[in-house]
Structures are given as C-alpha cells and as structure tokens.
Amino acid sequence: MSENEPSRGSTPPFPFTLVTLVDSGGPPEWARVWNALERLLDDAKGPAAFLEVPADGAAHDQVLAAVSAVPPEMKKVLVLGIGGSGLGARAALSALKPLQRGPGAREVRVLSNVDPVTVADAMAWFDPADTLLNVVTKSGGTVETLSQFALFADRIRSRGGDDALARGVVVTTGPGEGTMRKVSSSLGCPTLDVPPAVGGRFSVLTPVGLFPVALAGHDTEKLLAGARRVVDGIRGPDRAVQPAIRSAAHHFDLMGRGVSVRVLWPYCDRLASLGDWFCQLWAESLGKKGDSGRVGQTPLRALGSTDQHSLLQLFMEGPREHCLTFMTVGEPWPAMPVPDFTSLEPALGEFAGKDLCQVFDALGQGTMAALVQEGRPLARIHVPRLDEESLGALFAHFEVETALAGYLLEINPFDQPGVETGKLFAHGLLGRPGMDDYRRQAQALLTEEKES
Ligand code: PA5
C-alpha cells in the first residue's frame, strides 16, 4: 500500500504526508472499514464528540477571553494535569517551542507526576507573585492533581490570602459535581469547561490544551484549522486517501496478524512528547476486553537518532512483533554547518561543511532503508513544516485513527475500565471515608505477593 497527501486541485497541500514503505499485511477489508467509519461519524454527537471539537468556535472564544483576563503580572504558568489532562499540552508546547510567539507570551510548564522530588522542583520555580496556576482535571477528582493543587494553593494563599487564590488560579474541569468544580466555585476563580462527551485523551483541542498553548503565545486558531482539515477530510468525498483512515485500516490488519507492538519513531526531539501523548491514546483506547477476547497493541515511543543505539537492534533482529511509524520534519531547523577539522583527522571530512540537519537526515534515511531491507512493516509521516497547523492536523489524525481502530476492533475506545481498580485501592490506602475494604484488600494482595 502506498498513499500520499489528499490534496486536490487548488486545495492547499495537506499539512503532512503518510507513505507506507513496507506493508506486509493484506489489502484492507474496505467494507468493514467504511462500516466502522459510518458508525464513528454517527457517534460525533455522542461518544465520538471529539470530532466536533475543532469546529467549536464558542469554546475557543471562551479560551481566548480567559487568556485576555489573565493578570499582566502573571508572566509564567504552571499547569497541573495528568494523563489526557497534561500530555497534550506538553506535546504542543514542546513541538511549537522554536516558533515565533505572539505578544504577551508566557513561559508555560506542565506538572503531571506526583513524585515529591519533581514537585519540589516545580515549587522552587513557582513564584505566586508572577505565576498563574492552571488546574486541569476533567473528573475533578484525580489524586495527583488534587494533592498538587493543595500544595501550590497553599503557597498562593500564604502570600496573598483568598483574593490571591481567586486571581492566581484558573480551573479547567468538567461539569457536574467534581471536587475541583466545587473548589473553583468556592474560590470564585475563572473556570473553563471540558465538554462532558470528550474523553480526557481526546481533549487536547478543548480548553484543556488550548488555554496553556494560547498562554504560551501560539496561534490556537491555526491549531484548530489544521485539525479541521483532517475531520473535514474523513467526512468528504476523498475518504479513501485520508491518512487517518488508511492508517487505521492498516494497523487493524497488522493487529490481526499478531503484530503486537506499534512503534512511533519521531526523528525530532520536539515530537518526543507527541509520541508520549500518542502512547496513552493508543494504549488506553484500544487495550480492552472485547466481546471476542482481549485486544490492543502496545505502543512504544522511540526517538531518532538516539534509539538507533538502543531499540533498533531489537526491531531488526528480534521477534517479528513490531510495526513502525517514522516521523520526519522538513523545517524549522537552525542552520548549523559542521566545522572542518580534517587538519586534525581526515576521517572528520565526512561531516565537514555539511549542515547538522543533513547528518541527522542521513541517519534517519539509513535506518529506514535498513528496516525496509529487513521487511519490517514501516510507514513514514513527513511534516514539511512543524507549526500550529500541522500539529493540529497530527493531533486530529492520531485521534481519528485511534477511534476508528477501536470501532474496527469492536470495542469502546473512549472508556478505560481497567484503570479504575487501582484508583479505588489508592483511595482506600489514603483513608477516604467508606473505602476501608479497598485498603484491606490492597494490603492483603500485596502481602500475599511478598510471601509467594
Ligand atoms: O484519558 C483519560 O480519560 C485519562 O487519561 C484522564 O485524562 C486522566 O486519568 C486524568 O483524569 P482527569 O482529567 O479527570 O484528572
């Protein structure tokens, strides 16, 4: 299979291309794919509401108004959020970092893990006088985010009392009775809404990701416009060439052939966090107990060229269980000609005068060629220019691909029942009223494990 950008006539080129270099599967079962796509599109007003997000101008306006209302002395922003409430913003901030930013751009960081050393570092950076706290939790009740909130809110209150909390905190949360929703109404601080039908890992283009990205000075309208290219494409007449649909069909086929690991391999440090975001999306959406048994495919994020010195050996000669998606970027890169040191050693002449980007590119091309020679299932996404528009398109591409793969697998890609048990045990261990049984069960399970 080989597919390219779905551009037509005078339509501007699609923000990225997808080419399958080695297929090693069979032809997609198109009837099944179109059926799954119809069901997905029908669900856009229900569980697949993420499809409506890029066109939600009202939510975007709410975000821009909230950005304008942030007090000017707030030069920095700390986002608290984990899983789908943190990974997307981190991916966007990292991917867009070298771009020109708009006036009033803030320095934005995301804190997810509750590891006390990491939190202590963030506390050392956090100055309540100039740092806004954006607490992001769709459910409003996530242990990591709520415990971090208490630590940072205490810093803000100690400096300026409750007024400072109302001025220095913005909450992004779902509607309903969640703890953080109640906290925000007690504080009287600005609150942004997460659409209830959009699952956490599909929420990067809602206020969850848009608010931090806009505060960092990036163009969120372009981000949404890029995403609309993908969503409009799967609704339009050229469905058969849409990268998200072809890729979902391809990976569904590979899963059926026992290819149990999917490697996303950006050749670009700025896309490493996008790889982490994708891993959560693919793992949590597809790893399910379906009606016909357990399904899913383990996602793995590699990074070029670093992982040529680590994981590549396994992909080349290990078990035939991997398929790979390379991601390459055309621009922007800083010019960095390699100085000539042949006077010291002639072997250094291989690099002399070349741009570092050419060296990087040769390493990527060499690795792709080696994988093709070895017959490993390999696709390449090439992004001619990594900017807001192409990033928005990539977010939407992976979301559509993942949801469609879930519909093909006949599971619900929008829930995550398997993560609930661990949360209940943790609440029991933390002493939540009425959850003593969970504490006792967790303690018993871990004791038995130790003794076995
Ligand atoms: O995709 C998901 O739904 C999860 O990964 C959540 O985003 C994560 O558990 C955080 O949840 P919340 O936003 O409720 O704090």
PDB file of all heavy atoms in Angstrom, residues 57-82:
ATOM      1  N   GLY A  57     -16.247  26.944  17.818  1.00  0.00           N
ATOM      2  CA  GLY A  57     -15.774  28.329  17.941  1.00  0.00           C
ATOM      3  C   GLY A  57     -16.112  28.931  19.298  1.00  0.00           C
ATOM      4  O   GLY A  57     -15.345  29.742  19.827  1.00  0.00           O
ATOM      5  N   ALA A  58     -17.241  28.530  19.897  1.00  0.00           N
ATOM      6  CA  ALA A  58     -17.640  29.127  21.175  1.00  0.00           C
ATOM      7  C   ALA A  58     -16.638  28.753  22.268  1.00  0.00           C
ATOM      8  O   ALA A  58     -16.237  29.600  23.085  1.00  0.00           O
ATOM      9  CB  ALA A  58     -19.039  28.646  21.549  1.00  0.00           C
ATOM     10  N   ALA A  59     -16.213  27.486  22.267  1.00  0.00           N
ATOM     11  CA  ALA A  59     -15.230  27.056  23.281  1.00  0.00           C
ATOM     12  C   ALA A  59     -13.907  27.794  23.065  1.00  0.00           C
ATOM     13  O   ALA A  59     -13.246  28.213  24.028  1.00  0.00           O
ATOM     14  CB  ALA A  59     -15.021  25.544  23.204  1.00  0.00           C
ATOM     15  N   HIS A  60     -13.536  27.968  21.808  1.00  0.00           N
ATOM     16  CA  HIS A  60     -12.282  28.676  21.526  1.00  0.00           C
ATOM     17  C   HIS A  60     -12.371  30.132  21.994  1.00  0.00           C
ATOM     18  O   HIS A  60     -11.429  30.670  22.596  1.00  0.00           O
ATOM     19  CB  HIS A  60     -11.966  28.585  20.027  1.00  0.00           C
ATOM     20  CG  HIS A  60     -10.614  29.103  19.686  1.00  0.00           C
ATOM     21  ND1 HIS A  60     -10.352  29.804  18.550  1.00  0.00           N
ATOM     22  CD2 HIS A  60      -9.427  29.043  20.356  1.00  0.00           C
ATOM     23  CE1 HIS A  60      -9.078  30.146  18.520  1.00  0.00           C
ATOM     24  NE2 HIS A  60      -8.492  29.688  19.602  1.00  0.00           N
ATOM     25  N   ASP A  61     -13.527  30.761  21.742  1.00  0.00           N
ATOM     26  CA  ASP A  61     -13.700  32.149  22.205  1.00  0.00           C
ATOM     27  C   ASP A  61     -13.598  32.230  23.730  1.00  0.00           C
ATOM     28  O   ASP A  61     -13.041  33.182  24.275  1.00  0.00           O
ATOM     29  CB  ASP A  61     -15.067  32.692  21.768  1.00  0.00           C
ATOM     30  CG  ASP A  61     -15.112  32.934  20.261  1.00  0.00           C
ATOM     31  OD1 ASP A  61     -14.042  32.924  19.615  1.00  0.00           O
ATOM     32  OD2 ASP A  61     -16.234  33.108  19.729  1.00  0.00           O
ATOM     33  N   GLN A  62     -14.153  31.226  24.413  1.00  0.00           N
ATOM     34  CA  GLN A  62     -14.088  31.218  25.882  1.00  0.00           C
ATOM     35  C   GLN A  62     -12.622  31.173  26.332  1.00  0.00           C
ATOM     36  O   GLN A  62     -12.200  31.869  27.257  1.00  0.00           O
ATOM     37  CB  GLN A  62     -14.850  29.986  26.429  1.00  0.00           C
ATOM     38  CG  GLN A  62     -15.067  30.026  27.932  1.00  0.00           C
ATOM     39  CD  GLN A  62     -15.392  28.635  28.543  1.00  0.00           C
ATOM     40  OE1 GLN A  62     -15.109  27.592  27.958  1.00  0.00           O
ATOM     41  NE2 GLN A  62     -15.961  28.650  29.741  1.00  0.00           N
ATOM     42  N   VAL A  63     -11.829  30.371  25.610  1.00  0.00           N
ATOM     43  CA  VAL A  63     -10.401  30.262  25.945  1.00  0.00           C
ATOM     44  C   VAL A  63      -9.701  31.600  25.723  1.00  0.00           C
ATOM     45  O   VAL A  63      -8.947  32.087  26.585  1.00  0.00           O
ATOM     46  CB  VAL A  63      -9.726  29.162  25.086  1.00  0.00           C
ATOM     47  CG1 VAL A  63      -8.216  29.249  25.168  1.00  0.00           C
ATOM     48  CG2 VAL A  63     -10.207  27.786  25.527  1.00  0.00           C
ATOM     49  N   LEU A  64      -9.954  32.223  24.565  1.00  0.00           N
ATOM     50  CA  LEU A  64      -9.255  33.476  24.264  1.00  0.00           C
ATOM     51  C   LEU A  64      -9.646  34.576  25.254  1.00  0.00           C
ATOM     52  O   LEU A  64      -8.807  35.383  25.666  1.00  0.00           O
ATOM     53  CB  LEU A  64      -9.541  33.910  22.821  1.00  0.00           C
ATOM     54  CG  LEU A  64      -9.005  32.942  21.746  1.00  0.00           C
ATOM     55  CD1 LEU A  64      -9.327  33.450  20.350  1.00  0.00           C
ATOM     56  CD2 LEU A  64      -7.507  32.700  21.887  1.00  0.00           C
ATOM     57  N   ALA A  65     -10.925  34.573  25.671  1.00  0.00           N
ATOM     58  CA  ALA A  65     -11.355  35.572  26.659  1.00  0.00           C
ATOM     59  C   ALA A  65     -10.646  35.324  27.991  1.00  0.00           C
ATOM     60  O   ALA A  65     -10.205  36.258  28.668  1.00  0.00           O
ATOM     61  CB  ALA A  65     -12.871  35.501  26.845  1.00  0.00           C
ATOM     62  N   ALA A  66     -10.503  34.052  28.359  1.00  0.00           N
ATOM     63  CA  ALA A  66      -9.820  33.730  29.622  1.00  0.00           C
ATOM     64  C   ALA A  66      -8.348  34.111  29.555  1.00  0.00           C
ATOM     65  O   ALA A  66      -7.763  34.588  30.548  1.00  0.00           O
ATOM     66  CB  ALA A  66      -9.970  32.238  29.926  1.00  0.00           C
ATOM     67  N   VAL A  67      -7.739  33.953  28.383  1.00  0.00           N
ATOM     68  CA  VAL A  67      -6.327  34.349  28.227  1.00  0.00           C
ATOM     69  C   VAL A  67      -6.206  35.867  28.411  1.00  0.00           C
ATOM     70  O   VAL A  67      -5.328  36.357  29.127  1.00  0.00           O
ATOM     71  CB  VAL A  67      -5.782  33.921  26.838  1.00  0.00           C
ATOM     72  CG1 VAL A  67      -4.419  34.530  26.564  1.00  0.00           C
ATOM     73  CG2 VAL A  67      -5.709  32.397  26.744  1.00  0.00           C
ATOM     74  N   SER A  68      -7.131  36.616  27.793  1.00  0.00           N
ATOM     75  CA  SER A  68      -7.071  38.088  27.908  1.00  0.00           C
ATOM     76  C   SER A  68      -7.263  38.543  29.347  1.00  0.00           C
ATOM     77  O   SER A  68      -6.775  39.604  29.734  1.00  0.00           O
ATOM     78  CB  SER A  68      -8.171  38.753  27.080  1.00  0.00           C
ATOM     79  OG  SER A  68      -8.093  38.337  25.768  1.00  0.00           O
ATOM     80  N   ALA A  69      -8.010  37.751  30.126  1.00  0.00           N
ATOM     81  CA  ALA A  69      -8.302  38.163  31.505  1.00  0.00           C
ATOM     82  C   ALA A  69      -7.179  37.816  32.488  1.00  0.00           C
ATOM     83  O   ALA A  69      -7.246  38.194  33.660  1.00  0.00           O
ATOM     84  CB  ALA A  69      -9.605  37.509  31.954  1.00  0.00           C
ATOM     85  N   VAL A  70      -6.169  37.100  32.033  1.00  0.00           N
ATOM     86  CA  VAL A  70      -5.078  36.737  32.962  1.00  0.00           C
ATOM     87  C   VAL A  70      -4.310  38.014  33.328  1.00  0.00           C
ATOM     88  O   VAL A  70      -3.918  38.778  32.443  1.00  0.00           O
ATOM     89  CB  VAL A  70      -4.129  35.698  32.313  1.00  0.00           C
ATOM     90  CG1 VAL A  70      -2.878  35.488  33.157  1.00  0.00           C
ATOM     91  CG2 VAL A  70      -4.867  34.380  32.107  1.00  0.00           C
ATOM     92  N   PRO A  71      -4.131  38.256  34.627  1.00  0.00           N
ATOM     93  CA  PRO A  71      -3.456  39.494  35.034  1.00  0.00           C
ATOM     94  C   PRO A  71      -2.064  39.613  34.404  1.00  0.00           C
ATOM     95  O   PRO A  71      -1.345  38.616  34.298  1.00  0.00           O
ATOM     96  CB  PRO A  71      -3.354  39.335  36.565  1.00  0.00           C
ATOM     97  CG  PRO A  71      -4.402  38.340  36.931  1.00  0.00           C
ATOM     98  CD  PRO A  71      -4.546  37.430  35.768  1.00  0.00           C
ATOM     99  N   PRO A  72      -1.709  40.834  33.957  1.00  0.00           N
ATOM    100  CA  PRO A  72      -0.447  41.004  33.218  1.00  0.00           C
ATOM    101  C   PRO A  72       0.791  40.626  34.028  1.00  0.00           C
ATOM    102  O   PRO A  72       1.818  40.255  33.445  1.00  0.00           O
ATOM    103  CB  PRO A  72      -0.437  42.497  32.855  1.00  0.00           C
ATOM    104  CG  PRO A  72      -1.528  43.128  33.634  1.00  0.00           C
ATOM    105  CD  PRO A  72      -2.483  42.072  34.066  1.00  0.00           C
ATOM    106  N   GLU A  73       0.695  40.700  35.353  1.00  0.00           N
ATOM    107  CA  GLU A  73       1.899  40.365  36.140  1.00  0.00           C
ATOM    108  C   GLU A  73       2.195  38.852  36.106  1.00  0.00           C
ATOM    109  O   GLU A  73       3.278  38.417  36.482  1.00  0.00           O
ATOM    110  CB  GLU A  73       1.787  40.860  37.592  1.00  0.00           C
ATOM    111  CG  GLU A  73       0.785  40.132  38.484  1.00  0.00           C
ATOM    112  CD  GLU A  73      -0.613  40.758  38.435  1.00  0.00           C
ATOM    113  OE1 GLU A  73      -0.911  41.500  37.471  1.00  0.00           O
ATOM    114  OE2 GLU A  73      -1.414  40.496  39.358  1.00  0.00           O
ATOM    115  N   MET A  74       1.241  38.078  35.634  1.00  0.00           N
ATOM    116  CA  MET A  74       1.461  36.627  35.550  1.00  0.00           C
ATOM    117  C   MET A  74       2.290  36.308  34.306  1.00  0.00           C
ATOM    118  O   MET A  74       1.749  36.186  33.208  1.00  0.00           O
ATOM    119  CB  MET A  74       0.108  35.884  35.508  1.00  0.00           C
ATOM    120  CG  MET A  74      -0.728  36.063  36.736  1.00  0.00           C
ATOM    121  SD  MET A  74       0.123  35.411  38.177  1.00  0.00           S
ATOM    122  CE  MET A  74      -1.108  35.628  39.445  1.00  0.00           C
ATOM    123  N   LYS A  75       3.583  36.203  34.489  1.00  0.00           N
ATOM    124  CA  LYS A  75       4.496  36.003  33.351  1.00  0.00           C
ATOM    125  C   LYS A  75       4.772  34.518  33.119  1.00  0.00           C
ATOM    126  O   LYS A  75       5.389  34.144  32.117  1.00  0.00           O
ATOM    127  CB  LYS A  75       5.847  36.702  33.620  1.00  0.00           C
ATOM    128  CG  LYS A  75       5.707  38.167  33.972  1.00  0.00           C
ATOM    129  CD  LYS A  75       5.618  39.001  32.709  1.00  0.00           C
ATOM    130  CE  LYS A  75       5.619  40.488  33.030  1.00  0.00           C
ATOM    131  NZ  LYS A  75       4.534  41.200  32.373  1.00  0.00           N
ATOM    132  N   LYS A  76       4.390  33.712  34.085  1.00  0.00           N
ATOM    133  CA  LYS A  76       4.637  32.270  33.973  1.00  0.00           C
ATOM    134  C   LYS A  76       3.319  31.533  34.280  1.00  0.00           C
ATOM    135  O   LYS A  76       2.428  32.081  34.935  1.00  0.00           O
ATOM    136  CB  LYS A  76       5.704  31.822  34.975  1.00  0.00           C
ATOM    137  CG  LYS A  76       7.030  32.565  34.830  1.00  0.00           C
ATOM    138  CD  LYS A  76       8.161  31.899  35.610  1.00  0.00           C
ATOM    139  CE  LYS A  76       7.971  31.915  37.099  1.00  0.00           C
ATOM    140  NZ  LYS A  76       9.088  31.336  37.858  1.00  0.00           N
ATOM    141  N   VAL A  77       3.252  30.284  33.833  1.00  0.00           N
ATOM    142  CA  VAL A  77       2.039  29.488  34.082  1.00  0.00           C
ATOM    143  C   VAL A  77       2.478  28.072  34.456  1.00  0.00           C
ATOM    144  O   VAL A  77       3.314  27.477  33.764  1.00  0.00           O
ATOM    145  CB  VAL A  77       1.145  29.408  32.822  1.00  0.00           C
ATOM    146  CG1 VAL A  77      -0.114  28.597  33.104  1.00  0.00           C
ATOM    147  CG2 VAL A  77       0.795  30.790  32.303  1.00  0.00           C
ATOM    148  N   LEU A  78       1.901  27.556  35.527  1.00  0.00           N
ATOM    149  CA  LEU A  78       2.113  26.145  35.846  1.00  0.00           C
ATOM    150  C   LEU A  78       0.788  25.412  35.647  1.00  0.00           C
ATOM    151  O   LEU A  78      -0.227  25.758  36.270  1.00  0.00           O
ATOM    152  CB  LEU A  78       2.589  25.966  37.294  1.00  0.00           C
ATOM    153  CG  LEU A  78       2.862  24.506  37.663  1.00  0.00           C
ATOM    154  CD1 LEU A  78       4.056  23.941  36.890  1.00  0.00           C
ATOM    155  CD2 LEU A  78       3.097  24.351  39.163  1.00  0.00           C
ATOM    156  N   VAL A  79       0.810  24.421  34.762  1.00  0.00           N
ATOM    157  CA  VAL A  79      -0.377  23.597  34.520  1.00  0.00           C
ATOM    158  C   VAL A  79      -0.248  22.343  35.368  1.00  0.00           C
ATOM    159  O   VAL A  79       0.777  21.653  35.313  1.00  0.00           O
ATOM    160  CB  VAL A  79      -0.462  23.197  33.024  1.00  0.00           C
ATOM    161  CG1 VAL A  79      -1.674  22.306  32.769  1.00  0.00           C
ATOM    162  CG2 VAL A  79      -0.497  24.430  32.133  1.00  0.00           C
ATOM    163  N   LEU A  80      -1.284  22.042  36.150  1.00  0.00           N
ATOM    164  CA  LEU A  80      -1.333  20.764  36.873  1.00  0.00           C
ATOM    165  C   LEU A  80      -2.320  19.864  36.131  1.00  0.00           C
ATOM    166  O   LEU A  80      -3.485  20.229  35.956  1.00  0.00           O
ATOM    167  CB  LEU A  80      -1.827  20.953  38.310  1.00  0.00           C
ATOM    168  CG  LEU A  80      -1.099  21.963  39.200  1.00  0.00           C
ATOM    169  CD1 LEU A  80      -1.743  21.988  40.587  1.00  0.00           C
ATOM    170  CD2 LEU A  80       0.381  21.619  39.318  1.00  0.00           C
ATOM    171  N   GLY A  81      -1.879  18.705  35.684  1.00  0.00           N
ATOM    172  CA  GLY A  81      -2.794  17.798  34.976  1.00  0.00           C
ATOM    173  C   GLY A  81      -2.044  16.542  34.573  1.00  0.00           C
ATOM    174  O   GLY A  81      -0.860  16.609  34.214  1.00  0.00           O
ATOM    175  N   ILE A  82      -2.722  15.420  34.619  1.00  0.00           N
ATOM    176  CA  ILE A  82      -2.049  14.147  34.330  1.00  0.00           C
ATOM    177  C   ILE A  82      -2.855  13.370  33.281  1.00  0.00           C
ATOM    178  O   ILE A  82      -4.053  13.626  33.098  1.00  0.00           O
ATOM    179  CB  ILE A  82      -1.849  13.337  35.646  1.00  0.00           C
ATOM    180  CG1 ILE A  82      -0.812  12.226  35.462  1.00  0.00           C
ATOM    181  CG2 ILE A  82      -3.181  12.796  36.187  1.00  0.00           C
ATOM    182  CD1 ILE A  82      -0.227  11.691  36.758  1.00  0.00           C
TER     183      ILE A  82
END
